[in-house]
Amino acid sequence: MDFRSFETRARALWDEIPVEYREGVDGLTVSREAVRHPEGLDAYTLGECLTESYPSDWEGPDTLRSRLVLYHGSFRALAGRDPDFNWRDELWETLTHELRHHLESLAAEDALEEVDYATEQEFRRFEGAAFEAFYYRSGEALGGGWYAVERARYLELPWPKSGPVRFDLEGASYELPIPDDAAEVAYVDVVSGLRASGDVAITVVLVREPSLRDRLRRIMKRAAPRVAEFEAEARVVDGRTP
């Protein structure tokens, strides 16, 4: 999609959003730029919500103003990699995502900031860059130790002292081998063996209870937990959850 068509489509989608949700937004800017990740990772910023707060005893649309920016060059770069890239869907998702940043700023909430943080850390892990050990906890908590970060699902479990790791998913029980590693946190990506998970990636995160020595090491050196990553095949134990 060329720049002119992109801008026309973006402004048409922007006009579809009810006026009350756009209160406090001074407008939409469509840029030709392609904005790369600031740390050189192979990623692009599709849009931004640029917010300024003006001094006042209270915050509202009159004191908190935002401007949304879309980067056509970033969209074009991603579209060049994916033959199934849907320009309209990606435009709508980016617009509403950035608008939600504005609305959360008005409400003094930061839930979306947490999701963005988890998404970025997830990308760093997949790119082989350094990442925070428990980034998935900033995603959506689903209960039972499960967390969602975009289309990925994470299950946090204590590292068992012996035997395989066991977990339940969609009515079936599975086992995974215990990683042979001295790490404190292990990301085990389940690459096969699941009866049903659609195109959702499943990762079991094993967390070992740190020893007193490890706790002291972290305090003295301000060290992060030691993290390891593995891939494993799940084995069906029972077709029904007990």
Side-chain angles (χ1 to χ4, degrees):
M1 183 181 293
D2 62 29
F3 178 78
R4 184 173 300 231
S5 300
F6 179 84
E7 184 175 25
T8 300
R9 177 64 63 85
R11 297 198 182 283
L13 290 174
W14 177 244
D15 289 340
E16 289 182 18
I17 298 174
V19 175
E20 56 267 30
Y21 291 108
R22 292 184 277 152
E23 190 175 7
V25 180
D26 287 333
L28 172 67
T29 298
V30 182
S31 169
R32 296 179 183 272
E33 286 185 82
V35 179
R36 296 292 299 265
H37 191 282
E39 296 181 28
L41 297 178
D42 192 18
Y44 289 86
T45 297
L46 297 180
E48 288 186 280
C49 177
L50 306 177
T51 301
E52 290 186 88
S53 181
Y54 297 92
S56 174
D57 293 333
W58 62 282
E59 286 190 349
D62 294 331
T63 63
L64 197 68
R65 311 297 296 182
S66 297
R67 179 168 57 89
L68 270 58
V69 184
L70 297 175
Y71 297 106
H72 173 253
S74 295
F75 278 81
R76 187 173 59 187
L78 294 184
R81 300 176 179 178
D82 181 6
D84 298 321
F85 188 84
N86 189 309
W87 285 82
R88 186 194 185 284
D89 288 352
E90 293 294 340
L91 261 170
W92 180 254
E93 182 177 340
T94 304
L95 272 174
T96 53
H97 180 95
E98 300 307 330
L99 181 59
R100 184 179 162 190
H101 275 297
H102 170 72
L103 296 174
E104 288 193 355
S105 295
L106 288 178
E109 297 179 355
D110 60 0
L112 194 56
E113 295 290 341
E114 291 290 300
V115 172
D116 284 350
Y117 162 79
T119 301
E120 162 130 0
Q121 291 295 312
E122 180 178 70
F123 182 81
R124 293 181 66 87
R125 182 169 85 89
F126 292 152
E127 286 288 296
F131 63 91
E132 296 292 331
F134 300 107
Y135 69 81
Y136 56 88
R137 293 178 181 173
S138 295
E140 180 185 358
L142 303 177
W146 286 95
Y147 297 86
V149 180
E150 292 196 319
R151 298 195 62 79
R153 299 294 180 268
Y154 297 82
L155 174 60
E156 182 178 314
L157 294 173
W159 200 312
K161 294 181 180 179
S162 63
V165 180
R166 182 164 178 165
F167 68 97
D168 298 323
L169 178 65
E170 298 184 7
S173 295
Y174 298 94
E175 286 184 349
L176 292 173
I178 297 179
D180 182 17
D181 196 279
E184 296 166 80
V185 179
Y187 280 73
V188 184
D189 296 318
V190 183
V191 294
S192 62
L194 298 177
R195 288 183 172 176
S197 64
D199 58 351
V200 175
I202 303 294
T203 299
V204 176
V205 184
L206 301 179
V207 180
R208 181 175 274 132
E209 181 68 25
S211 64
L212 176 59
R213 181 177 180 179
D214 286 332
R215 289 195 184 98
L216 291 174
R217 178 182 64 86
R218 289 189 199 173
I219 294 172
M220 298 298 292
K221 297 184 178 181
R222 297 183 180 179
R226 291 171 300 215
V227 180
E229 299 177 72
F230 303 90
E231 292 183 347
E233 178 180 357
R235 186 175 72 85
V236 177
V237 177
D238 183 6
R240 296 183 60 83
T241 303

